[in-house]
Amino acid sequence: MPEGDTVYLAGKRLHSALAEHELLRGELRHPRLVEHDLAGLTVTGVVPVGKHLFTRFDDGRSLHSHFRMDGSWHLYRPGMRWRRVAHEARAVLETADRVAVGFALHDLELLATDDEHTLVGHLGPDLLDPDWGPGHDAEALRRMTARAGHPLGLVLLEQRVMAGLGNLYRNDICFLLGLTPWVPIRDVPDLPGVIDLSRRLLSSNKDRPEQTTTGSLAAGEAHWVFERPGRPCRRCGTRIRTADQGDDHRARITYWCPRCQTGPSPRPVRRATGPRRGAPGRPPPGAARTR
């Protein structure tokens, strides 16, 4: 699932392309929305909220979309060939100059703009909210503290605590904190520092497609532990370990350095050779990123 900075960048580019322009074509191909035609409406803005996007129109409605695992918005010039097959398109918003196509958007809703809170009101503070202030810090801390017995790695993924983090950032945040993802929240010594680090990492990558937690954008050097199983730790040389964290469909592959990160961790499990089922990675080229 894309990180919050990926959704932020997609929203930024969609806003730049569509805002204040009338739609010449406004097709919704989702089974629940096929009877709606948005042609003739003017886009007033595209707003990201955590991992959600709202495309707002001048008739007081918004189109809500969520990428999930394989969704994306692409931007094209009229007449350009689409980079994904047409039968995956769930929304086509076309102005005189640009065509925005939403592919594989399983979560697509058309609702009153005033009702957007019904879809995102449960979320914790958006780490990329441009109006972030002391109140956001306090609320994120309150929600995090309320999960005292929960493991740090899972709390970082919980959008009800802070909206925007995904598996990439939560793994490398734990590394930078020097704690394993299984450390309970009550044993994390500096929770305000966790919130600040989370915001800084997302903010540093929000305006570009590339994501780095190390400060380097060179190939193979962008991450501390994420997607580096069995490779040497960049700090101490110990081999990075991996295990699943979470239950059922919420389980995520977790990476950590057993030397640099203190705290509980699962015992090594001998795994069969071959590719991991459901192994996460960056979205395929173009996914969740507009061009």
Side-chain angles (χ1 to χ4, degrees), residues 26 64 68 75 78 82 102 146 149 168 194 209 228 240 242 272 275:
H64 166 262
R68 296 297 172 186
L75 276 174
W82 295 354
L168 186 166
V194 175
R228 302 187 68 244
I240 301 301
T242 182

Side-chain angles (χ1 to χ4, degrees), residues 241-279:
R241 286 177 54 186
T242 182
D244 291 337
Q245 186 179 32
D247 300 322
D248 303 324
H249 68 283
R250 293 174 295 179
R252 294 292 183 270
I253 297 179
T254 302
Y255 309 85
W256 78 101
C257 172
R259 183 174 181 181
C260 292
Q261 295 173 252
T262 61
S265 61
R267 293 180 179 179
V269 176
R270 185 178 181 84
R271 296 184 181 274
T273 59
R276 293 285 305 277
R277 184 177 67 178

Side-chain angles (χ1 to χ4, degrees), residues 10 19-20 60 94 225 227 242 248 252:
E20 307 305 326
E94 182 174 354
V225 295
E227 292 190 336
T242 182
D248 303 324
R252 294 292 183 270

Side-chain angles (χ1 to χ4, degrees), residues 4 10 37 66 69 74 115 126 170 188 201 203 221 233 253 284:
D37 184 358
H66 193 293
M69 293 299 294
H74 290 191
D115 292 335
D126 180 0
R170 72 103 176 192
V188 177
L201 286 178
S203 295
E221 297 181 3
C233 173
I253 297 179

Side-chain angles (χ1 to χ4, degrees), residues 88-209:
E88 292 184 351
R90 293 294 178 267
V92 182
L93 308 178
E94 182 174 354
T95 69
D97 298 317
R98 303 305 295 268
V99 182
V101 186
F103 292 100
L105 298 175
H106 309 292
D107 291 353
L108 202 63
E109 305 285 347
L110 192 63
L111 73 165
T113 299
D114 288 343
D115 292 335
E116 290 178 357
H117 68 277
T118 63
L119 297 180
V120 296
H122 65 287
L123 298 177
D126 180 0
L127 288 164
L128 290 177
D129 187 336
D131 296 323
W132 187 283
H136 296 79
D137 279 311
E139 180 61 17
L141 181 61
R142 183 190 71 80
R143 294 185 182 220
M144 191 174 288
T145 303
R147 287 151 176 80
H150 296 211
L152 172 63
L154 293 184
V155 172
L156 290 175
L157 286 176
E158 192 175 346
Q159 303 302 296
R160 291 175 180 267
V161 176
M162 299 185 296
L165 294 178
N167 203 36
L168 186 166
Y169 287 111
R170 72 103 176 192
N171 277 284
D172 279 15
I173 285 171
C174 288
F175 177 83
L176 290 169
L177 293 171
L179 302 172
T180 71
W182 290 271
V183 171
I185 287 293
R186 62 171 168 261
D187 294 335
V188 177
D190 182 14
L191 290 178
V194 175
I195 298 167
D196 180 65
L197 176 61
S198 300
R199 288 195 64 235
R200 285 190 288 112
L201 286 178
L202 277 177
S203 295
S204 68
N205 292 302
K206 66 184 177 64
D207 293 316
R208 61 176 177 233

